[in-house]
Amino acid sequence: MPLLPIFLAGMFPMFLIALLGFFGLALFGMLVICVGLASSNEAHDNFNQDIIVHGYAPGPERAARASDMHLAARLGLRLEAVGVAMVITAAIGLCYAA
């Protein structure tokens, strides 16, 4: 119940994106690309902050943190790829719809 106002406020922009058709798909794809870039940047920022603030950790711990960073960066790359695919799909749809 406390999240109902947030749901109601967010419902209308998503409804408008759906009404825009292929342009809405391209807009949503751009948003997904931005989320992927933000995720990758956050992963690199957290790793660099651990290295700078906490110093160089022992080998196994540093390797574990690097592995976590690479996992988050790969997730960001996948989101970027999905966003690009959505934008390309929207562009193709706009070309054939006209």
Side-chain angles (χ1 to χ4, degrees):
M1 199 63 167
L3 295 177
L4 185 63
I6 295 172
F7 172 75
L8 291 176
M11 182 174 60
F12 296 111
M14 292 304 289
F15 183 63
L16 288 175
I17 288 174
L19 286 177
L20 290 173
F22 289 117
F23 183 71
L25 182 65
L27 184 65
F28 195 68
M30 293 299 290
L31 291 173
V32 171
I33 290 171
C34 290
V35 168
L37 289 172
S39 176
S40 294
N41 285 340
E42 185 180 2
H44 287 286
D45 182 48
N46 288 339
F47 180 75
N48 290 336
Q49 183 179 3
D50 284 341
I51 295 298
I52 292 169
V53 173
H54 302 297
Y56 286 100
E61 185 179 343
R62 186 174 51 233
R65 294 210 185 268
S67 176
D68 290 344
M69 180 199 61
H70 290 301
L71 182 66
R74 279 194 299 263
L75 175 65
L77 222 82
R78 288 181 186 141
L79 282 172
E80 292 170 23
V82 167
V84 167
M86 290 172 77
V87 170
I88 290 171
T89 303
I92 292 171
L94 282 172
C95 288
Y96 284 113

